[in-house]
Amino acid sequence: KARLAPLATGVEGLRGEIGVVEQPCQPEGTVFVHGALWKAKAASGSVPAGARVRVLCVRDLTVDVETVDAADG
């Protein structure tokens, strides 16, 4: 079972995680994800502070994020 489970640690475990924007992403800012602050780049436009975002990928210790709609959970 453990081998079939998705990765949950390291940068690989960040993909799909939900976080909160600390400094507005216009398009770059910071987000709090998985218990740490990360440099972030918004996939489209700007994202205000306090918005919920989902991590798309991690590149060079910067996370690419997209906003999460209220309907997405």
Side-chain angles (χ1 to χ4, degrees):
K1 280 185 173 182
R3 289 184 297 170
L4 298 176
L7 291 171
T9 60
V11 292
E12 297 87 5
L14 285 174
R15 187 177 299 131
E17 288 286 322
I18 303 295
V20 177
V21 176
E22 293 289 319
Q23 292 181 345
C25 298
Q26 301 172 347
E28 296 181 358
T30 59
V31 296
F32 187 76
V33 180
H34 212 53
L37 284 174
W38 289 83
K39 286 201 270 181
K41 186 172 182 182
S44 61
S46 65
V47 182
R52 293 180 53 196
V53 292
R54 176 178 294 115
V55 176
L56 299 174
C57 67
V58 181
R59 287 184 281 150
D60 300 326
L61 298 178
T62 300
V63 294
D64 290 347
V65 296
E66 67 179 357
T67 57
V68 176
D69 295 333
D72 289 343

